[in-house]
Amino acid sequence: RRKGMPASINVAGAALQPRQRKGIWKHAAIMCFAGACALIALSAYQSFSSIPERPYVSLLEKSAHQTAKKAVLHSAVSAAQQRKEAEKAYQVHREAKHAAQQTHATAKPATLDEVKSAAKPATHPTEAHAMKKTDVVKMLHQHAAAHIVHPVHGMKLAENGTNGTNSTEEEAAPEDAGAEDEKDGEEEEKEGESDQLVADAGGSGVLMADLFIFICGAIGLLFAAFLFWQVAAVSLDSAAATAEMKASDEELKTIYTTIQQGAQSFLWAEYQICFLFIAVFGALVFVLVSHTVEKGEAVWKFDVGALTALSFVVGGLTSILSGFIGMMVAVYSNARTTVMAKGEGEKGWTESFNTAFRAGGVMGYSLVAISMMVLYVLALIYRDYFSVWDGEERKVDYKNLFECIAGYGLGGSAIAMFGRVGGGIFTKAADVGADLSGKVIGVGDGKKLDEDSPYNPGVIADNVGDNVGDVAGMGSDLFGSFGEASCAAMLIGASCVAVEEAGWTALVFPLFISASGIVVCLLVSFVATDLYIVRKEEDIELALKIQLFLTSIFMTLVLWPVTDWALPGSMDIHGVEVTPFLCYICIAAGLWGGCAIGFLTEYFTSHSYQPVRDVARSAETGAATNIIYGLALGYQSVVAPVIIISFIIFISFKFAGMYGVALAALGMLSTLATCLAIDVYGPISDNAGGIAEMCEMPSEVRDKTDALDAAGNTTAAIGKGFAIGSAALVSLALFGAFVTRASDNMHDEEKLTHRGVNLLSPVVFAFVLFGAMVPYWFSAMTMRSVGEAANAMVKEIARQWREIEGLSEAAGLDFNERQAAKDQGKALAKPDYDRCIGIATTASLREMIAPGLLVILSPILVGTFCGVEAVAGLLTGAIVSSVQLAISMSNTGGAWDNAKKYTEKGELNGWFMFRDGTPVNEDQFRAAAEAGNSGNKCMQQKGSKYGSTDEGVDIKTWLSKVEQEDPARYQKIMNGDEGITTTDGRKCIYAGKKSASHAAVVVGDTVGDPLKDTSGPALNIVMKLMAIISVVFADFFMSINDGNGILHAGDLKPM
C-alpha cells in the first residue's frame, strides 16, 4: 500500500496503484490514430467486396441512383393509395376461399370481382400505409420494371423482384383442401421470414458512410491529441526567482499529485463495481432478450440475446473509457492552468483561459469521436451477421440489427448512472463538509476558513470530487445521451421501408449529424483561443458564449446538405409523410431549442442577472429567506424551458413522428464537442483556483483563477440546461422506439403505433402516477446519502482540528502570519487529507447501489408482471416528472451557488442598512445602492493603519488591520453589530466574506449542492435509462402473455 493512502481507497493493491509515465498520452494518441486508420482500411475493404458488379461507382451515378429511388418510392406510395380497395377485396376473397375449404364446400368460391363489389372503403387515413414491407418492395419492383432502369447496373429493378398476382385471374378451389392449406401456410411462413430482409442498395453507400464517419472521427481524435500536446507543453517547473516561489511550486506539485492520485483511486474503486455490474447485468440481458416472440409465440433466439449483450458490454466499457479520459485530462490540466495564471497582465489571462479551454476540448473531441466510431463499427459487424446472400444480391435484416445495437445505449447509460450518482455523492459530501466546517462552524473563537484553505482537511476531497463528479460523471452522462439518441433514431428509421430501401447512408444518417458536428466544432474552436482572445476578466464569459453561438450557426448551415444527401426524397413513417427538409427542420429545432434552454438557464443562475442578485440580497434577514427565494426561483425557471421543449416535441412529432423527435435530440447534441469542452473547462478552473488558494499564491493569481471559475459556473449551468433538454428529447425518442418495437408483434389493429396508448386504461393511468413518483424516490435516496456522508465529513474535520496538535492554531493564522512562521523555521501542522477522501469514497460507493437498482429494476419488474401498457405509463410519468424536477433542482442549486459567489465578491456591500435608531428613508437608501454606490468600492476606508486619516483604503485591507489591532471590534463588524460608513455617507452592514450574510448564503449553497450536482443531473439518466431498458427488453415483455404480463394487467389481444 502506498504510503499515506488509506486502506479504504487502496482497493486495487499496490500493483494497481496509478503511476505517472512520461509520454503515455502521446503514445495513446498515436495508438488511437493507428486504430482509426486500420478501421477505415477494413471498412473500405468490406465495402468494396460487397459491390457485386462494379468496384467503383461515381458520385454522379450515386446521385442518379438516389434520384431514381426517390421517384420510385413516391410513385409506389401513390400506387398504394390506388390499390387499397383492391388489396382489401383480395383479402376478403382469400378468407372466403378458406372458409369454403374448411366446410368442404363444393361450390366455387366467390370471384374477386364479386367480393370487390362488397368491400368497404377505407375510413382511416393511415390504412393506405398499413402494408407489409414485402408488399411495398413488390410494388417498387413492378412499377420500376416498366419505367425505370437502374442507373448503376443498367438493368430493370424488377429483374430481382417478384411478379405480382393478376387481379383478373379467377382461382378455383383445389380438390385437396388440406394440401392447399399446407401450401398457403408454407407461403405465409416464407413471407414472414422475408418481411425483415431488405435488399441492400449497394456497396457505394456503405463506402461513403465509412469515409464520412471514419474521416471525421479520425480528425476529432487527431485534434484532441493536438490539444493535449499544447496543454502538456506547460511545465510545472517554473523559473522561480526566489526561494519562496520555489517552495510554492513544490507545494503546487504535491497538491497536484495528491488530487490526481485521489481521483484515480476513487475511479478505480468505482469501476471495479461497474465491471462486476457489466458482467452480471450483461448475463441478464442475454437471457431475457433471448426470450422473444415470433408470430404470437414465445421463442428463444440466443443469437439476438448474445449480440444485444455484446452491445451492452461495449457501450458500458466505452462509457468507462470516456469518463476516465476526461478525468485524467482534467487532473492533468488543473495545475497547469494555475501556472499559466501567474503570467503578468493580458498574457496571464489569455494563457490560463486557453489552457483550461483546450483541456476541456481534449475530452469533448475524443469522447464524440470514440463513441461514434465504436458504435459504427458495431453496426458494420452486425450488418454482416444479419446479411443473407441471394446469388450476388445481399439482403439485410435491419430490424433485428438495430434492435441489437440498442444495447450499446443501455451500457452507456447504466455506467453513467453509477458515475453520476457515485461521483455526485463523493463531490458534494466533500464540498458540503468543507463549506460547513470552514465557513459556518469555523475553528473556534469566531475564526472562519475558506473552503480551499490548505488547513481544511476536506479541501483535497473537494477538489477530487470536482473531477470524478463534474468531469467523469458528466462525460458518461452525455456519452449515454449520444448513444441512446443515435440508437433510437436508427431503430425507428429501420422501421420505415423508405429508409431501409434508400440504403446504408439513410439508416446511419443519425451518425452523420455527430460526425459533422466534430468538424464544425473544431473549426469554430479557434475563435475562442486565437481570434477573440481573452485579455481581461470581462472577456471570458463572452468568449464562451460566442463559441457556443457560432457553433450553432455553422451547424445549421452544414446540416441541410448532409440531410438532403443522405435521406430519400419521401418517407412514410407510421402514416406521416416525411421529406428531408422536414427532418432538417426537426434537427434545427433541437439545435436552437438547446441554445435557448442553455441561455435561459444562465439567466436564472448567473449573478450577472437580477434573479440571482435578488436571492443574494434576501440573505439580509438570514438563511431562511435565502432558501425561500432560491426555491421560488427554481420553480419559476421551469416554465420557459418546458415551453421550449414542448414546442420542439410538437414540431418534430408533427413533421416526422418519433423519428423527428430522435433527430431533434441529435440536433441538440450536435454541438456536443463544444458543450463538453465548455463543461469540463469549469471544473478545471475550479481546481486551478483551489490549488492557487492552497499554495497561498499572490492575490493577482487567485483573482484570475476565481474569474475563470466564476465563468465556469455560468457555462456549467448552460451545460446542465443542454443536458436536461437533450435528455427529455432522448427519453421521448426512446419511448417511441419502445412502442415501435413492441408493436411489431401486435395485430395491425392493436399496434400502439396506430391506435396509441390509452391514457384512460386502468393499468396505464395507475403506472403514470407510479412513474411520476420514481424521480422523487430516487432524489430522496441520493440527497439523504449526501447528507449522511457530509455529516461524517464534518465530524472528521472537527476531530482533526481537535486532535492534531497545532492544526487549529495554524488554520487560524492569516497568510502573512504563516509565512513569517515558516521564515522562522517553524513547522506548521498539516491535516490528514486521505481520511476525508476515504470517507467520501466509502460513502459514495456504498450509497450509489440502491438508487441505481431502483431505476434499473423498475421497468423490468413492471414489464414482466404488468405488461407493455404498464411500462408505457411508467415511462410517461417518469419523463414528465423528471424533466420538471431536474430543471428546478439544477437551477435552484445553481442560483444559491452564484449568490454565494456574488456575496464573496463584496457586491452586497452598500445594500443592507445598519439600524441604530437613526431615522433613514429606506427608498432613498435603496436608490443610492441601485445608482452604483455598492460593492467593495463604496466601503473604502481611511488609512492603512487603524485610526489613520488617509483616504482610499480597500475594505479588505482595512478589516485585516482591524482584526489584528482590535479583534473584538472586528467580530462585531462581522456579526453585523457595528455599521460601516460608505463613501456617500450611508451607514451599512458589512456583507462580504465571513460576515453573517455570507454565512446565510453559504447555508443556501450547501443545501443546493446535492440538488445541482447530485440529484438534479442524475435525473437526466433516470428517464433515459428507464426508457432504454424498456426498448431493449420490449420483445421479452411481449413474450409474456402477449404483452400483458404475468398478472394479465394489460388489455392487449393475442396475436
Side-chain angles (χ1 to χ4, degrees):
R1 185 163 65 90
R2 178 170 298 193
K3 184 179 180 180
M5 190 66 65
S8 57
I9 62 174
N10 188 26
V11 295
L16 294 177
Q17 284 293 334
R19 297 177 181 175
Q20 298 179 0
R21 293 184 175 91
K22 186 175 181 180
I24 188 172
W25 286 98
K26 295 181 181 178
H27 293 305
I30 294 173
M31 292 175 61
C32 290
F33 176 63
C37 293
L39 289 174
I40 294 173
L42 176 63
S43 301
Y45 172 78
Q46 290 178 343
S47 302
F48 281 125
S49 64
S50 65
I51 302 177
E53 295 188 10
R54 297 173 58 186
Y56 300 99
V57 181
S58 68
L59 292 177
L60 182 61
E61 290 174 329
K62 166 76 175 175
S63 176
H65 185 193
Q66 293 287 357
T67 303
K69 291 182 73 63
K70 293 176 182 179
V72 171
L73 179 66
H74 181 73
S75 301
V77 173
S78 300
Q81 291 280 7
Q82 297 171 1
R83 293 183 56 191
K84 175 181 58 179
E85 186 175 339
E87 292 285 344
K88 288 176 66 65
Y90 179 78
Q91 181 65 27
V92 174
H93 163 68
R94 186 173 181 176
E95 292 175 358
K97 183 181 73 173
H98 279 288
Q101 292 169 357
Q102 292 172 2
T103 56
H104 302 284
T106 58
K108 183 179 179 180
T111 65
L112 183 61
D113 290 335
E114 292 171 342
V115 296
K116 182 177 179 180
S117 62
K120 296 181 181 180
T123 58
H124 195 283
T126 63
E127 285 187 8
H129 306 289
M131 296 179 289
K132 292 184 177 179
K133 298 177 183 177
T134 50
D135 295 333
V136 179
V137 173
K138 291 176 185 177
M139 290 161 50
L140 284 169
H141 289 311
Q142 292 165 3
H143 182 83
H147 300 91
I148 298 176
V149 176
H150 197 295
V152 176
H153 303 302
M155 59 184 179
K156 292 183 179 181
L157 294 176
E159 290 179 4
N160 292 326
T162 305
N163 292 330
T165 57
N166 187 354
S167 61
T168 62
E169 179 182 337
E170 293 186 358
E171 302 181 23
E175 295 180 0
D176 188 351
E180 180 68 17
D181 285 341
E182 182 179 351
K183 181 179 179 180
D184 288 344
E186 291 176 356
E187 292 177 352
E188 290 178 2
E189 183 177 354
K190 291 180 180 179
E191 181 181 357
E193 292 175 354
S194 63
D195 273 350
Q196 299 177 2
L197 293 175
V198 179
D200 188 55
S204 61
V206 179
L207 175 62
M208 294 299 294
D210 290 351
L211 293 175
F212 194 100
I213 291 174
F214 284 125
I215 288 176
C216 291
I219 290 173
L221 287 178
L222 286 173
F223 189 64
F226 169 72
L227 292 176
F228 183 79
W229 174 76
Q230 289 186 303
V231 173
V234 178
S235 175
L236 297 181
D237 296 316
S238 61
T242 64
E244 290 80 2
M245 294 178 64
K246 290 181 180 179
S248 178
D249 288 343
E250 290 301 318
E251 182 72 10
L252 180 144
K253 286 190 285 186
T254 300
I255 293 171
Y256 155 75
T257 303
T258 305
I259 294 174
Q260 189 177 54
Q261 291 176 351
Q264 289 174 340
S265 298
F266 168 78
L267 274 192
W268 175 241
E270 181 183 53
Y271 287 162
Q272 282 184 308
I273 296 176
C274 291
F275 290 143
L276 178 62
F277 169 79
I278 289 174
V280 174
F281 195 72
L284 182 66
V285 170
F286 168 69
V287 173
L288 297 187
V289 174
S290 297
H291 191 258
T292 181
V293 62
E294 189 174 273
K295 297 180 181 179
E297 298 293 331
V299 296
W300 289 94
K301 290 186 176 181
F302 292 105
D303 59 338
V304 173
L307 292 176
T308 304
L310 176 62
S311 299
F312 167 77
V313 172
V314 172
L317 295 178
T318 308
S319 180
I320 289 175
L321 176 63
S322 301
F324 182 76
I325 289 175
M327 190 276 295
M328 290 299 297
V329 171
V331 298
Y332 184 82
S333 309
N334 50 19
R336 287 165 170 80
T337 302
T338 305
V339 170
M340 288 293 96
K342 292 181 178 181
E344 298 291 335
E346 293 181 357
K347 182 181 179 182
W349 288 105
T350 302
E351 293 183 348
S352 59
F353 171 81
N354 287 353
T355 301
F357 184 72
R358 285 167 178 158
V362 175
M363 181 180 185
Y365 294 102
S366 61
L367 183 147
V368 177
I370 292 173
S371 58
M372 177 186 68
M373 289 196 294
V374 170
L375 176 57
Y376 185 67
V377 169
L378 205 61
L380 286 176
I381 295 172
Y382 286 12
R383 176 176 176 268
D384 285 340
Y385 180 83
F386 286 106
S387 293
V388 175
W389 288 92
D390 183 7
E392 293 185 343
E393 183 183 37
R394 178 203 287 259
K395 295 183 178 180
V396 186
D397 183 0
Y398 289 121
K399 174 182 176 294
N400 273 325
L401 188 161
F402 289 110
E403 286 179 355
C404 292
I405 286 289
Y408 182 80
L410 173 59
S413 192
I415 297 304
M417 167 61 69
F418 291 114
R420 265 299 194 190
V421 175
I425 293 173
F426 184 105
T427 182
K428 290 304 108 179
D431 193 4
V432 172
D435 270 350
L436 289 178
S437 299
K439 297 179 179 180
V440 178
I441 300 173
V443 295
D445 298 329
K447 293 181 179 179
K448 306 293 177 64
L449 295 179
D450 295 327
E451 64 179 301
D452 290 323
S453 168
Y455 297 92
N456 190 330
V459 65
I460 295 292
D462 185 15
N463 283 277
V464 169
D466 290 336
N467 295 291
V468 299
D470 295 341
V471 178
M474 171 66 80
S476 296
D477 182 2
L478 291 178
F479 164 78
S481 292
F482 162 79
E484 289 159 331
S486 300
C487 292
M490 291 190 291
L491 180 58
I492 297 173
S495 68
C496 171
V497 176
V499 175
E500 287 184 322
E501 288 295 310
W504 190 246
T505 54
L507 286 164
V508 299
F509 164 68
L511 296 182
F512 292 169
I513 299 174
S514 301
S516 304
I518 292 176
V519 178
V520 171
C521 293
L522 183 155
L523 295 174
V524 179
S525 69
F526 292 102
V527 173
T529 56
D530 297 277
L531 298 179
Y532 187 86
I533 299 175
V534 173
R535 293 185 172 89
K536 56 184 183 297
E537 179 179 353
E538 292 75 15
D539 294 340
I540 300 174
E541 196 170 316
L542 185 59
L544 295 173
K545 291 180 183 178
I546 290 175
Q547 178 78 17
L548 189 58
F549 187 73
L550 288 179
T551 304
S552 299
I553 289 178
F554 284 106
M555 277 302 299
T556 306
L557 298 176
V558 167
L559 284 172
W560 165 241
V562 174
T563 305
D564 188 54
W565 163 69
L567 293 179
S570 180
M571 299 171 283
D572 173 29
I573 300 178
H574 301 302
V576 180
E577 190 71 20
V578 181
T579 64
F581 181 73
L582 294 179
C583 291
Y584 170 72
I585 293 298
C586 297
I587 300 170
L591 173 63
W592 286 102
C595 278
I597 292 172
F599 289 124
L600 275 170
T601 304
E602 181 210 4
Y603 172 76
F604 281 104
T605 57
S606 172
H607 59 60
S608 300
Y609 303 100
Q610 196 63 37
V612 172
R613 294 183 177 186
D614 289 341
V615 172
R617 290 166 190 164
S618 68
E620 180 180 9
T621 52
T625 48
N626 180 258
I627 291 175
I628 292 170
Y629 267 71
L631 290 173
L633 180 146
Y635 297 146
Q636 184 183 3
S637 69
V638 172
V639 177
V642 167
I643 291 175
I644 292 173
I645 294 173
S646 301
F647 177 77
I648 296 172
I649 292 173
F650 176 79
I651 290 295
S652 55
F653 205 170
K654 185 75 173 177
F655 285 173
M658 281 297 182
Y659 188 64
V661 177
L663 292 181
L666 284 169
M668 196 173 288
L669 293 168
S670 62
T671 57
L672 182 57
T674 293
C675 290
L676 271 173
I678 293 174
D679 280 337
V680 177
Y681 155 87
I684 291 173
S685 300
D686 191 2
N687 262 204
I691 291 172
E693 184 79 27
M694 283 185 280
C695 294
E696 299 182 315
M697 290 185 176
S699 59
E700 55 268 20
V701 177
R702 283 176 282 175
D703 287 342
K704 291 187 182 73
T705 56
D706 287 347
L708 294 173
D709 182 24
N713 281 329
T714 299
T715 56
I718 295 176
K720 286 185 176 70
F722 265 100
I724 294 169
S726 63
L729 295 179
V730 168
S731 301
L732 186 59
L734 291 170
F735 178 82
F738 165 70
V739 170
T740 300
R741 186 172 183 180
S743 296
D744 287 339
N745 298 303
M746 299 179 186
H747 281 297
D748 288 345
E749 64 274 11
E750 287 292 311
K751 289 183 182 296
L752 298 180
T753 52
H754 292 169
R755 67 178 180 87
V757 178
N758 183 12
L759 183 61
L760 296 180
S761 169
V763 67
V764 174
F765 193 85
F767 277 96
V768 166
L769 292 178
F770 182 84
M773 173 273 300
V774 170
Y776 289 90
W777 189 0
F778 174 87
S779 300
M781 297 171 73
T782 54
M783 290 185 68
R784 182 179 179 86
S785 298
V786 171
E788 291 179 353
N791 189 34
M793 185 76 70
V794 171
K795 291 179 180 179
E796 171 60 25
I797 293 172
R799 183 197 66 79
Q800 292 194 29
W801 278 337
R802 184 175 62 253
E803 296 181 4
I804 297 180
E805 186 177 354
L807 178 60
S808 61
E809 290 78 7
L813 301 176
D814 63 18
F815 174 77
N816 293 327
E817 291 171 337
R818 282 195 291 268
Q819 201 61 43
K822 291 178 182 178
D823 293 340
Q824 296 173 7
K826 294 182 180 179
L828 299 178
K830 287 285 188 180
D832 184 359
Y833 299 127
D834 291 339
R835 288 278 297 176
C836 292
I837 295 176
I839 289 173
T841 300
T842 303
S844 59
L845 297 181
R846 181 184 66 247
E847 299 293 336
M848 73 179 185
I849 303 299
L853 291 179
L854 169 67
V855 177
I856 292 170
L857 294 180
S858 292
I860 296 177
L861 294 178
V862 169
T864 301
F865 287 95
C866 299
V868 168
E869 291 177 301
V871 174
L874 177 77
L875 296 181
T876 302
I879 292 171
V880 171
S881 179
S882 293
V883 170
Q884 326 279 339
L885 201 55
I887 296 174
S888 174
M889 284 183 167
S890 296
N891 290 349
T892 295
W896 279 328
D897 186 12
N898 281 313
K900 179 193 71 174
K901 286 180 168 53
Y902 186 71
T903 303
E904 291 176 345
K905 288 179 65 178
E907 297 297 331
L908 290 183
N909 286 326
W911 282 93
F912 300 160
M913 180 191 306
F914 180 73
R915 305 178 186 276
D916 58 356
T918 304
V920 178
N921 188 308
E922 294 193 12
D923 293 335
Q924 292 179 355
F925 185 94
R926 180 171 290 274
E930 292 174 348
N933 295 321
S934 61
N936 285 339
K937 65 180 183 298
C938 81
M939 284 194 168
Q940 291 183 347
Q941 299 297 304
K942 297 178 180 180
S944 58
K945 293 184 178 180
Y946 183 46
S948 172
T949 59
D950 297 337
E951 299 288 342
V953 178
D954 180 74
I955 184 64
K956 292 182 179 179
T957 304
W958 184 82
L959 284 173
S960 65
K961 293 298 182 182
V962 172
E963 183 180 16
Q964 294 176 11
E965 299 174 8
D966 192 347
R969 186 186 182 202
Y970 172 83
Q971 197 59 48
K972 289 179 65 178
I973 293 174
M974 291 297 107
N975 293 338
D977 296 330
E978 179 178 330
I980 295 179
T981 304
T982 62
T983 54
D984 61 350
R986 294 175 298 136
K987 207 161 189 179
C988 301
I989 295 174
Y990 176 72
K993 261 190 173 184
K994 302 182 181 179
S995 67
S997 299
H998 182 236
V1001 294
V1002 168
V1003 171
D1005 176 46
T1006 53
V1007 172
D1009 274 337
L1011 295 179
K1012 71 180 178 66
D1013 290 323
T1014 305
S1015 299
L1019 287 173
N1020 301 340
I1021 306 174
V1022 169
M1023 46 184 164
K1024 292 185 299 181
L1025 183 55
M1026 292 177 70
I1028 190 66
I1029 286 174
S1030 303
V1031 172
V1032 171
F1033 292 100
D1035 285 350
F1036 170 70
F1037 299 154
M1038 286 299 302
S1039 70
I1040 303 175
N1041 293 326
D1042 300 300
N1044 293 307
I1046 294 176
L1047 301 179
H1048 292 274
D1051 299 322
L1052 298 177
K1053 297 179 181 179
M1055 181 71 173

